[in-house]
Amino acid sequence: VTHSIPACIGGMTINSKQVDKESPVSIFAVNKCYETVQDGTFFDGSGFAALVREGYKVRSDVNITLEFRTTAVHGVLLGVSTAKVDAIGLEIVHGKVLFHVNNGAGRITATYEPRGTNSLCDGKWHKLQANKSKHRISLIIDGNLIHTDNPYIQSTSADTNNPIYVGGYPADVKQNCLTSKSSFRGCLRNLVLTKGQHTELFDFSRAFDLRGVFPHSCPGAEH
């Protein structure tokens, strides 16, 4: 076992003596437990989670689904890029959700604009699905479908080879399909990427780099 337990631990005693958790000798990546907790991973707005160290290859097709909950009107949701221009990105900007794709010929964007600026940033769970199929892209938020025309129909493959960054990204990492540098503050859950017949549910506790992210511990109400 090489990763920590994604859980809350309390009431620990050793030789009948209560262990003092308030003043540990050292502490790393441990947060408080919440009295009312929901399924999900808490992002405190300062960092990111990095997945797939060897690099994720988007290529011609990918379908991304996730659920998010936030009260912030700006924040990076997900980005996969490369040293060249090929990339995909999902972000919240001014309360809208943007899905960007660059297959090498130019960036195209599907934008979901809710009726009110705060209607997606209301602290409630919202479902997102972003789909790239060759040169076509679509975005579904809470069942509302957005299609975008792509003038670059000959360009069909996003040849990415960088990790998947969720909720933000390091300052020294280039993201060609994100306009925001604001880290996400809120909770995410059920991140699934599907390519053809292969579906992968990502467990944030297995990320190779976590900063300001607390897997499997989403507070019932945001602090």
Side-chain angles (χ1 to χ4, degrees), residues 26-46:
S26 69
I27 188 166
F28 176 73
V30 176
N31 201 25
K32 62 187 177 193
C33 286
Y34 302 99
E35 295 216 0
T36 54
V37 74
Q38 296 181 345
D39 284 344
T41 289
F42 180 55
F43 290 71
D44 71 6
S46 72

Side-chain angles (χ1 to χ4, degrees), residues 46-158:
S46 72
F48 58 86
L51 304 158
V52 192
R53 188 193 294 270
E54 66 276 13
Y56 187 83
K57 293 170 176 54
V58 172
R59 303 237 164 111
S60 62
D61 299 78
V62 71
N63 188 72
I64 304 164
T65 57
L66 61 84
E67 293 174 60
F68 68 90
R69 204 191 87 192
T70 185
T71 55
V73 294
H74 294 279
V76 169
L77 291 172
L78 180 147
V80 188
S81 198
T82 182
K84 296 184 283 186
V85 294
D86 299 41
I88 63 169
L90 276 164
E91 60 188 347
I92 301 170
V93 178
H94 296 297
K96 305 171 195 172
V97 175
L98 279 59
F99 178 40
H100 310 282
V101 172
N102 191 332
N103 287 327
R107 183 195 292 176
I108 54 164
T109 303
T111 303
Y112 175 74
E113 187 167 355
R115 290 198 174 132
T117 309
N118 294 320
S119 55
L120 284 180
C121 310
D122 54 3
K124 295 177 182 160
W125 287 105
H126 296 279
K127 288 189 175 179
L128 176 157
Q129 179 179 341
N131 183 268
K132 168 184 151 29
S133 179
K134 296 186 176 156
H135 66 279
R136 297 182 183 88
I137 72 167
S138 62
L139 182 62
I140 304 173
I141 306 291
D142 296 332
N144 301 295
L145 172 64
I146 305 294
H147 271 299
T148 297
D149 289 330
N150 184 351
Y152 314 111
I153 58 171
Q154 304 301 321
S155 185
T156 60
S157 178

